[in-house]
Protein backbone atom coordinates (compact mmCIF):
# COMPACT_ATOMS: atom_id res chain seq x y z
CA UNK A 1 0.00 0.00 0.00
CA UNK A 2 2.74 2.40 1.02
CA UNK A 3 4.65 1.47 -2.10
CA UNK A 4 1.74 2.36 -4.32
CA UNK A 5 1.34 5.64 -2.49
CA UNK A 6 5.05 6.40 -2.79
CA UNK A 7 5.07 5.61 -6.48
CA UNK A 8 2.04 7.72 -7.26
CA UNK A 9 3.52 10.54 -5.21
CA UNK A 10 6.73 10.29 -7.19
CA UNK A 11 4.79 10.32 -10.45
CA UNK A 12 2.85 13.35 -9.31
CA UNK A 13 5.90 15.36 -8.22
CA UNK A 14 7.84 14.57 -11.38
CA UNK A 15 4.98 15.72 -13.58
CA UNK A 16 4.51 18.87 -11.51
CA UNK A 17 8.13 19.98 -11.29
CA UNK A 18 9.82 20.43 -14.64
CA UNK A 19 12.66 17.93 -14.63
CA UNK A 20 14.73 20.19 -16.85
CA UNK A 21 14.63 23.14 -14.43
CA UNK A 22 18.14 24.45 -14.00
CA UNK A 23 19.95 26.74 -11.61
CA UNK A 24 22.15 29.37 -13.19
CA UNK A 25 24.83 31.34 -11.41
CA UNK A 26 25.65 34.98 -12.14
CA UNK A 27 28.65 36.51 -10.41
CA UNK A 28 28.72 40.18 -9.43
CA UNK A 29 32.28 41.35 -10.05
CA UNK A 30 34.48 44.45 -9.85
CA UNK A 31 36.31 43.26 -12.93
CA UNK A 32 35.53 40.62 -15.52
CA UNK A 33 36.00 39.72 -19.16
CA UNK A 34 33.77 42.62 -20.27
CA UNK A 35 35.63 45.24 -18.19
CA UNK A 36 34.99 46.73 -14.78
CA UNK A 37 31.75 46.40 -12.79
CA UNK A 38 30.12 43.45 -14.48
CA UNK A 39 27.69 40.65 -14.13
CA UNK A 40 29.12 37.40 -15.46
CA UNK A 41 27.63 36.15 -17.65
CA UNK A 42 26.14 39.34 -19.07
CA UNK A 43 23.60 37.44 -21.12
CA UNK A 44 21.78 34.44 -19.79
CA UNK A 45 19.33 32.45 -21.91
CA UNK A 46 17.19 30.24 -19.73
CA UNK A 47 14.00 28.20 -19.81
CA UNK A 48 10.80 28.96 -17.90
CA UNK A 49 11.05 27.37 -14.44
CA UNK A 50 14.80 27.91 -14.19
CA UNK A 51 16.36 29.84 -11.33
CA UNK A 52 19.07 32.49 -11.47
CA UNK A 53 21.32 32.90 -8.45
CA UNK A 54 23.24 36.18 -8.18
CA UNK A 55 26.37 35.60 -6.16
CA UNK A 56 28.01 38.47 -4.28
CA UNK A 57 31.46 37.34 -5.40
CA UNK A 58 32.84 40.79 -4.62
CA UNK A 59 31.55 43.54 -2.37
CA UNK A 60 29.54 46.63 -3.24
CA UNK A 61 27.00 45.11 -5.64
CA UNK A 62 23.36 44.16 -5.80
CA UNK A 63 21.06 42.85 -8.51
CA UNK A 64 17.59 44.11 -9.35
CA UNK A 65 15.29 44.26 -12.35
CA UNK A 66 14.89 47.62 -14.09
CA UNK A 67 11.39 49.10 -14.03
CA UNK A 68 9.79 49.04 -17.47
CA UNK A 69 12.40 46.63 -18.84
CA UNK A 70 10.80 43.32 -17.98
CA UNK A 71 7.91 41.54 -19.74
CA UNK A 72 4.54 43.17 -19.24
CA UNK A 73 2.84 41.93 -16.09
CA UNK A 74 5.93 40.00 -14.96
CA UNK A 75 7.26 40.16 -11.40
CA UNK A 76 10.67 41.71 -10.90
CA UNK A 77 13.02 41.43 -7.95
CA UNK A 78 15.46 43.52 -5.94
CA UNK A 79 18.41 42.07 -4.07
CA UNK A 80 20.21 43.74 -1.19
CA UNK A 81 23.73 45.09 -1.34
CA UNK A 82 26.42 42.43 -0.75
CA UNK A 83 23.84 39.66 -0.57
CA UNK A 84 23.08 36.68 -2.72
CA UNK A 85 19.65 36.74 -4.33
CA UNK A 86 17.63 34.18 -6.27
CA UNK A 87 15.27 35.00 -9.11
CA UNK A 88 12.83 32.68 -10.88
CA UNK A 89 11.22 34.62 -13.75
CA UNK A 90 7.51 33.84 -14.00
CA UNK A 91 7.01 34.86 -17.63
CA UNK A 92 8.80 34.37 -20.91
CA UNK A 93 10.52 37.44 -22.24
CA UNK A 94 13.55 39.65 -21.75
CA UNK A 95 14.50 40.95 -18.29
CA UNK A 96 17.00 43.75 -17.75
CA UNK A 97 18.97 43.62 -14.50
CA UNK A 98 21.14 46.32 -12.98
CA UNK A 99 23.43 46.82 -10.04
CA UNK A 100 22.03 49.95 -8.44
CA UNK A 101 25.35 51.53 -7.31
CA UNK A 102 27.03 50.86 -10.69
CA UNK A 103 24.19 51.39 -13.16
CA UNK A 104 25.86 54.49 -14.63
CA UNK A 105 29.08 52.49 -14.97
CA UNK A 106 27.24 49.99 -17.12
CA UNK A 107 26.77 47.18 -14.61
CA UNK A 108 23.79 45.53 -16.26
CA UNK A 109 22.84 42.17 -17.67
CA UNK A 110 20.08 40.46 -19.64
CA UNK A 111 18.06 37.39 -18.79
CA UNK A 112 16.16 36.00 -21.77
CA UNK A 113 13.49 33.46 -20.82
CA UNK A 114 12.29 31.08 -23.53
CA UNK A 115 12.39 32.07 -27.19
CA UNK A 116 12.30 35.73 -26.26
CA UNK A 117 13.56 38.69 -28.27
CA UNK A 118 13.79 42.18 -26.84
CA UNK A 119 11.08 44.61 -27.94
CA UNK A 120 12.19 47.28 -30.43
CA UNK A 121 12.08 50.11 -27.91
CA UNK A 122 13.93 48.12 -25.26
CA UNK A 123 16.95 50.42 -24.90
CA UNK A 124 15.28 53.48 -26.39
CA UNK A 125 14.28 54.73 -22.96
CA UNK A 126 16.51 56.62 -20.57
CA UNK A 127 19.39 54.25 -20.01
CA UNK A 128 22.87 55.49 -19.02
CA UNK A 129 25.21 55.37 -22.07
CA UNK A 130 27.54 52.70 -20.66
CA UNK A 131 24.59 50.53 -19.69
CA UNK A 132 23.10 51.01 -23.15
CA UNK A 133 26.36 49.93 -24.77
CA UNK A 134 26.41 46.68 -22.83
CA UNK A 135 22.69 46.03 -23.38
CA UNK A 136 23.19 46.42 -27.12
CA UNK A 137 26.22 44.14 -27.12
CA UNK A 138 24.38 41.44 -25.16
CA UNK A 139 21.22 41.74 -27.22
CA UNK A 140 23.24 41.46 -30.44
CA UNK A 141 24.29 37.95 -29.45
CA UNK A 142 20.74 36.93 -28.50
CU1 LIG B 1 27.87 46.82 -8.81
Amino acid sequence: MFRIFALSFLALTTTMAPVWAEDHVVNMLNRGDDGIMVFEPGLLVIEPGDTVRFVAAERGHNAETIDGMIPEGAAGFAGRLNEEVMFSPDKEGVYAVKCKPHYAMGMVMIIAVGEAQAPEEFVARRVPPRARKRFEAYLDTL
Side-chain angles (χ1 to χ4, degrees), residues 56-98:
E58 287 170 313
R59 295 189 62 80
H61 309 290
N62 85 321
E64 60 184 64
T65 40
I66 300 175
D67 290 344
M69 295 181 78
I70 62 175
E72 209 163 310
F77 76 99
R80 289 161 171 267
L81 206 62
N82 302 320
E83 283 183 19
E84 185 170 307
V85 61
M86 308 270 276
F87 178 49
S88 298
D90 59 353
K91 283 196 166 188
E92 290 202 20
V94 174
Y95 294 72
V97 174
K98 70 177 175 185

Side-chain angles (χ1 to χ4, degrees), residues 34 41-46 94 109-112 114-118 132-142:
D34 294 337
L43 172 67
L44 201 54
V45 180
I46 69 173
V94 174
M109 62 96 54
I110 296 280
I111 303 171
E115 299 289 305
Q117 288 292 323
R132 177 188 310 277
K133 209 173 150 198
R134 279 196 180 140
F135 277 140
E136 285 169 351
Y138 298 147
L139 290 170
D140 271 354
T141 63
L142 189 61

Side-chain angles (χ1 to χ4, degrees), residues 17-24 47-51:
V19 287
W20 60 87
E22 270 185 71
D23 287 339
H24 305 268
E47 293 302 320
D50 287 2
T51 298

Side-chain angles (χ1 to χ4, degrees), residues 60-61 99 102 107:
H61 309 290
C99 163
H102 303 121
M107 189 164 172

